Amino acid sequence: MADAALSATTGSADQSLAMRAASGFVSRLVVIVPYLWLLFFFLIPFVIVFKISLSQSAIAMPPYTPALDFKDGIAGFLAPLKQLSFDNYVWLTQDALYFNAYVSSVTIAAISTVLTLLVGYPVAYGMARAPASLRPTLLMLVILPFWTSFLIRVYAWIGILKPEGLLNQLLLSIGVIHEPLVILNTYTAIFIGIVYSYLPFMVLPLYSTLEKMDNSLIEAANDLGCPPISAFWKITFPLSLPGVVAGCLLVFIPAVGEFVIPDLLGGSQTLMIGRTLWNEFFNNRDWPVASAVAIILLLVLVIPIMIFQHTQARAQEGDK
């Protein structure tokens, strides 16, 4: 009996150790997977692009020297490092085209983000205040455009905004205008396309934040004589700021490097960094300069995000 009890105890202890080991392995795997994802899909491509940006353009395949060469192992990979230079970055500071492209891209992205916030906040607020049974349907309607190709949705706006398109035909038929409006191939068309395409990215974080808000705070403010508008600006909007910031970042970051919408709706005269990258890579085949443009664009986007995250972390530590 004693031997059986000892055997059972030993087996239970071994089983407990095995479960702990399995649990520890799963926990480490959950942590490691995101880092592996960042390593293979961000850090390694970033290093390769950065190395290309320090190279010189050449009539070859690939069109730059020195090329990445792994045939001789690490030594073959590190050998061309002696030829690397920052001439491409110096060139970017000497040509006003690139500076204007950066400024134009940031300006268009910032205006589009503000417009998307002005449109998306009422939508998210209405969804959060809708009956609980209706919210899943409203959420599905917001996500529904993702079921269609992004390119098809942008092309659809060409048929709507062109001079003989649906919008002008509608306005002419009801007598609002007497001649077609010129909207396509303007910045207005770019703003419309970006707001439409990235609206779900603004609505979803706002809806998630507003839905979790304690409505008793609004009721208490109303009972104390606070007007609805004042209650909104003093309670609802401050509590929804995390969703506002998240939505603005989700819209602003991809909008800065947007290429498809400005190219299709804005026309050839639109100056944005995405189109500049395309021209350098595929028309001029100047990969080193294009890589330098991409690296600077990445820094322009990443550094403010890191500063914001650091500020938020310090604010949370201060609250504790």
Side-chain angles (χ1 to χ4, degrees):
M1 293 290 293
D3 293 341
L6 180 61
S7 177
T9 304
T10 304
S12 177
D14 293 341
Q15 188 177 15
S16 177
L17 290 174
M19 292 179 62
R20 290 180 182 178
S23 177
F25 174 76
V26 171
S27 301
R28 286 191 294 269
L29 184 62
V30 170
V31 176
I32 290 174
V33 168
Y35 285 101
L36 291 177
W37 179 274
L38 291 175
L39 175 65
F40 286 105
F41 296 102
F42 176 77
L43 185 58
I44 294 178
F46 174 81
V47 172
I48 294 174
V49 173
F50 180 67
K51 191 171 187 295
I52 295 175
S53 71
L54 300 179
S55 305
Q56 300 295 326
S57 61
I59 303 176
M61 182 59 67
Y64 61 89
T65 56
L68 295 173
D69 188 7
F70 294 95
K71 295 180 180 179
D72 299 328
I74 299 297
F77 178 79
L78 297 178
L81 290 178
K82 299 178 181 179
Q83 307 175 32
L84 299 179
S85 67
F86 288 89
D87 293 343
N88 296 315
Y89 293 93
V90 175
W91 166 256
L92 295 184
T93 63
Q94 296 174 348
D95 194 335
L97 171 67
Y98 303 102
F99 177 78
N100 293 334
Y102 282 116
V103 173
S104 176
S105 298
V106 172
T107 303
I108 292 174
I111 295 175
S112 301
T113 302
V114 173
L115 294 175
T116 308
L117 177 62
L118 294 177
V119 175
Y121 200 103
V123 175
Y125 186 84
M127 291 171 57
R129 294 295 176 267
S133 60
L134 190 60
R135 293 176 189 175
T137 303
L138 297 176
L139 190 62
M140 184 192 68
L141 293 176
V142 172
I143 301 175
L144 196 61
F146 286 113
W147 296 4
T148 307
S149 170
F150 173 76
L151 200 58
I152 293 176
R153 286 185 281 129
V154 176
Y155 267 113
W157 278 103
I158 297 178
I160 296 174
L161 299 177
K162 62 183 181 180
E164 65 276 10
L166 298 176
L167 179 61
N168 278 311
Q169 293 298 323
L170 175 63
L171 296 178
L172 288 170
S173 63
I174 61 178
V176 176
I177 58 175
H178 300 289
E179 59 181 14
L181 298 175
V182 180
I183 302 177
L184 192 64
N185 296 332
T186 64
Y187 284 104
T188 302
I190 297 176
F191 294 140
I192 293 174
I194 293 178
V195 170
Y196 167 76
S197 300
Y198 292 105
L199 185 61
F201 294 102
M202 180 68 72
V203 171
L204 295 179
L206 286 172
Y207 169 73
S208 177
T209 303
L210 291 170
E211 187 187 27
K212 298 175 182 177
M213 194 181 68
D214 189 0
N215 294 327
S216 62
L217 297 175
I218 304 296
E219 296 175 359
N222 294 333
D223 292 340
L224 293 174
C226 184
I229 296 179
S230 298
F232 172 81
W233 287 111
K234 293 180 179 179
I235 299 175
T236 303
F237 188 75
L239 291 177
S240 66
L241 280 179
V244 172
V245 174
C248 289
L249 289 177
L250 289 175
V251 173
F252 178 79
I253 292 174
V256 171
E258 181 60 53
F259 167 74
V260 175
I261 295 175
D263 187 60
L264 295 180
L265 301 182
S268 58
Q269 80 281 359
T270 304
L271 182 62
M272 289 190 71
I273 202 64
R275 186 177 183 85
T276 303
L277 274 171
W278 171 272
N279 289 334
E280 292 294 345
F281 265 116
F282 298 101
N283 292 342
N284 300 337
R285 290 186 58 80
D286 195 343
W287 287 21
V289 170
S291 299
V293 172
I295 292 295
I296 293 179
L297 176 61
L298 182 63
L299 294 178
V300 168
L301 297 177
V302 168
I303 291 177
I305 294 175
M306 294 178 63
I307 295 175
F308 169 76
Q309 290 180 340
H310 180 68
T311 304
Q312 289 292 102
R314 294 187 61 182
Q316 292 177 358
E317 292 177 358
D319 293 339
K320 294 179 181 179

